[in-house]
Amino acid sequence: MHRSLTSRSALALLFALALAGGAAAQQAPAAAPEAPAAPCGGDLSSFLEGVKADAIAAGASAAAADQALAGAEIDPKVLSRDRAQGVFKQTFLEFSQRTVSQARLDIGRQKMKQYADVFARAEQEFGVPSGVITAFWAMETDFGAVQGDFNTRNALVTLSHDCRRPELFRPQLIALIEMVQHGDLDPATNTGAWAGEIGQVQMLPRDIIAYGMDGDGDGHIRLKQSGPDAILTAAKFIQHLGFERGQPWLQEVTVPDSLPWEKSGLGGTMKAGEWFALGVKPRDGNTGFGDLEGDLVLPQGRMGPAFIAYPNFKIYLEWNKSFIYTTSAAYFATRLSGAPTYLKGAPEPGLANDQMKTLQTKLQSLGHDVGEIDGILGSGTRIAIQKEQQRLGIPADGWATPALLNAL
């Protein structure tokens, strides 16, 4: 599904709303004290009075709160979208070939040229290359062409009033009031995604308040209208997610016939140089980052495209938890930075939706935690597959195939 809304904006409006299959946590954090339940439900007018009081307590003026909340109403379409999120079941080859099109690459390069000075500033101040920012810009809204048509104020009022996840959305509504006070948003007319994301790089109000940049010097942060604002805000946000200046994020490689496949996948313990020593070869010939941690990523198994994911790849998983989305976005960024089209290889056929659910059910019966039986090849399912492949003496590359299903 979309990214966690506690501190990050939910993204992938155009191509990846409701993506699933995020990376599994390596270790559960210590339990934090429970926060007080956020007020929700009941009479809308009374609810909005409570929001106004919270906004004033947070530093907003009463006038800004009144302006932001005047005319607010529940949007049933938002609730419908929230409860009926789709699932993402395309393969990496299917999704990446659709999203990383030649037309989009051409537009991306034009944007990088058009805003060369802004991108140069983004890299100088935040260490984020233009290709990384541009790929997200393309993936999120097609360079601003498709930003969503839900009234942002009403979307956040709806999701805050609804008692499903008010603790996630109420703070976003308070932040929207702050944006209104700054003159950065017209609550009556501003539109965006159903979950309250705004602008060309799709960010939630709290993140805009925290990381917003006035790139065009007009005294406002307007991510819907301003390319420079969107570029610099994205750069600052990506830096916040942990992007390390001067380091790669994804590198295409070729792989030999035999490797310790069970060590492949995200969250591994090997360095890139160790993979190189085993015969993994970067297509660009650059082995200069061998001392960095490097995960061998095989989106469709050992017979398909192969990549080394470096520590900077983690920012993609912070941006969006879907493995297919993040790998596609990272690959897109490498293309904009000069890399060639990946080698498709000849991956073994995968499983249809019903077959994948059958496989997940079998894996669960064998004691593996695959999460929901949803037909999605997420990280939990991939890890379980690798363990069973290793047990059965099959190359443990994490790819779900009919042969594996039959063997189980």
Side-chain angles (χ1 to χ4, degrees):
M1 60 185 296
H2 55 64
R3 291 187 302 159
S4 166
L5 296 172
T6 53
S7 63
R8 298 183 295 274
S9 51
L11 296 175
L13 166 67
L14 181 59
F15 294 104
L17 273 172
L19 295 180
Q26 296 300 307
Q27 182 176 358
E34 282 193 22
C40 64
D43 176 71
L44 181 60
S45 296
S46 299
F47 171 80
L48 294 176
E49 283 299 320
V51 171
K52 176 181 175 179
D54 285 354
I56 292 172
S61 68
D66 286 338
Q67 180 187 355
L69 299 175
E73 57 186 18
I74 300 298
D75 186 344
K77 292 182 180 179
V78 169
L79 293 175
S80 176
R81 183 68 66 89
D82 186 40
R83 283 159 171 71
Q85 296 184 46
V87 293
F88 184 76
K89 297 177 181 178
Q90 295 181 56
T91 67
F92 170 72
L93 286 176
E94 290 169 341
F95 184 72
S96 62
Q97 288 180 42
R98 183 164 64 89
T99 54
V100 189
S101 65
Q102 187 58 54
R104 187 175 273 173
L105 285 165
D106 290 343
I107 295 172
R109 292 178 180 124
Q110 292 170 8
K111 295 291 186 182
M112 289 162 66
K113 183 177 181 180
Q114 178 184 354
Y115 294 108
D117 291 345
V118 182
F119 281 115
R121 179 183 168 190
E123 185 156 13
Q124 180 180 5
E125 293 187 16
F126 304 111
V128 183
S130 58
V132 172
I133 301 166
T134 304
F136 279 130
W137 192 7
M139 296 282 282
E140 293 309 314
T141 66
D142 228 2
F143 306 105
V146 184
Q147 299 187 38
D149 57 4
F150 289 85
N151 178 276
T152 303
R153 185 266 318 280
N154 289 346
L156 291 175
V157 165
T158 300
L159 294 167
S160 299
H161 180 266
D162 182 50
C163 289
R164 188 179 181 197
R165 290 170 294 168
E167 72 284 356
L168 302 182
F169 290 100
R170 191 181 181 96
Q172 303 295 345
L173 182 55
I174 303 299
L176 179 137
I177 294 171
E178 183 176 348
M179 292 181 66
V180 171
Q181 181 163 304
H182 293 166
D184 294 339
L185 180 144
D186 179 353
T189 62
N190 192 92
T191 56
W194 66 265
E197 307 94 333
I198 300 168
Q200 300 182 45
V201 288
Q202 293 289 279
M203 295 179 69
L204 284 164
R206 289 185 77 185
D207 291 331
I208 295 172
I209 294 293
Y211 307 107
M213 295 285 293
D214 175 14
D216 56 19
D218 68 352
H220 294 283
I221 298 166
R222 291 172 173 158
L223 303 188
K224 281 183 66 69
Q225 300 90 350
S226 173
D229 289 7
I231 291 165
L232 290 179
T233 298
K236 186 175 182 179
F237 184 67
I238 291 167
Q239 181 198 51
H240 155 74
L241 294 180
F243 193 91
E244 293 291 339
R245 182 188 299 270
Q247 292 186 12
W249 52 95
L250 194 73
Q251 182 182 38
E252 190 188 1
V253 294
T254 59
V255 295
D257 292 335
S258 179
L259 280 175
W261 302 110
E262 69 279 1
K263 295 182 182 295
S264 66
L266 295 176
T269 59
M270 293 178 65
K271 292 186 175 181
E274 295 178 273
W275 287 113
F276 300 155
L278 291 172
V280 173
K281 296 181 179 180
R283 282 193 70 198
D284 61 8
N286 183 2
T287 58
F289 296 99
D291 289 338
L292 294 179
E293 293 177 4
D295 294 340
L296 181 61
V297 173
L298 307 167
Q300 288 183 235
R302 70 194 189 284
M303 305 299 289
F307 305 92
I308 293 290
Y310 290 96
N312 272 341
F313 185 80
K314 294 174 184 177
I315 70 103
Y316 289 87
L317 291 169
E318 290 292 325
W319 188 286
N320 188 297
K321 294 299 184 185
S322 164
F323 174 69
I324 298 302
Y325 178 91
T326 54
T327 307
S328 297
Y331 164 67
F332 198 160
T334 67
R335 292 295 312 281
L336 289 168
S337 301
T341 305
Y342 55 56
L343 299 174
K344 296 179 184 178
E348 297 177 79
L351 298 179
N353 183 57
D354 289 345
Q355 292 176 308
M356 184 67 75
K357 289 182 178 179
T358 299
L359 175 62
Q360 289 177 316
T361 301
K362 287 188 175 184
L363 291 169
Q364 190 176 70
S365 70
L366 291 167
H368 299 288
D369 181 8
V370 299
E372 183 182 354
I373 305 300
D374 54 10
I376 299 169
L377 184 56
S379 65
T381 301
R382 285 180 183 268
I383 291 170
I385 287 171
Q386 281 187 295
K387 291 179 179 178
E388 287 303 311
Q389 286 174 323
Q390 193 171 11
R391 181 180 67 82
L392 294 168
I394 301 172
D397 60 4
W399 180 234
T401 65
L404 173 65
L405 179 60
N406 292 335
L408 294 177

